[in-house]
Amino acid sequence: MAIKITDACINCGACEPECPNSAIYEGAIDWRWKDKTKLSGHITFPDGTKGDAEAYHPAVSDEVYYIVSGKCTECKGFHEEPQCKAVCPVDCCVDDPDHRETEEVLLDRQKFMHSA
């Protein structure tokens, strides 16, 4: 499953640089697929949908840091545990019950984003 940041976030920013996928963004900052990945230009996602890795997408939150669930791999392929959880001083990085995925799916996503 992906990780989410709750509204208990104190906006310290400790999590953002730790994410190997750049799935974490400061509130009100738009995000892109290409950020900290090897994705560029027009891409076809593993599910067959198409998109532009360089296009900006609206921020998920205007108030606190947020995680783009489609970019989160729970650090699979990089670390033993999610780094956002490890560094968060208020434990607001939690499992997202709305985005449950297998380890295989998370590893496939990591390969897709970093082996392009």
Side-chain angles (χ1 to χ4, degrees):
M1 80 184 67
I3 308 295
K4 70 177 183 176
I5 298 175
T6 68
D7 59 5
C9 176
I10 59 172
N11 287 314
C12 71
C15 57
E16 183 182 22
E18 299 302 319
C19 182
N21 301 309
S22 189
I24 301 174
Y25 292 83
E26 185 176 353
I29 301 295
D30 294 342
W31 65 275
R32 298 183 299 179
W33 285 102
K34 79 173 233 167
D35 295 338
K36 213 176 189 179
T37 72
K38 291 188 176 181
L39 301 175
S40 65
H42 294 285
I43 53 175
T44 301
F45 295 97
D47 67 359
T49 60
K50 297 181 186 285
D52 182 353
E54 298 176 31
Y56 282 94
H57 300 274
V60 174
S61 171
D62 289 335
E63 303 294 321
V64 296
Y65 279 79
Y66 66 90
I67 297 175
V68 175
S69 58
K71 289 180 75 176
C72 180
T73 63
E74 292 183 39
C75 293
K76 300 290 185 199
F78 294 106
H79 305 287
E80 293 294 315
E81 65 179 332
Q83 296 301 287
C84 57
K85 283 184 169 186
V87 301
C88 182
V90 294
D91 297 325
C92 69
C93 296
V94 299
D95 294 337
D96 185 350
D98 293 332
H99 294 96
R100 298 196 180 272
E101 297 160 315
T102 65
E103 184 170 343
E104 180 182 1
V105 167
L106 296 171
L107 285 169
D108 286 346
R109 179 178 299 143
Q110 188 268 349
K111 289 175 190 165
F112 171 72
M113 290 190 299
H114 297 283
S115 298

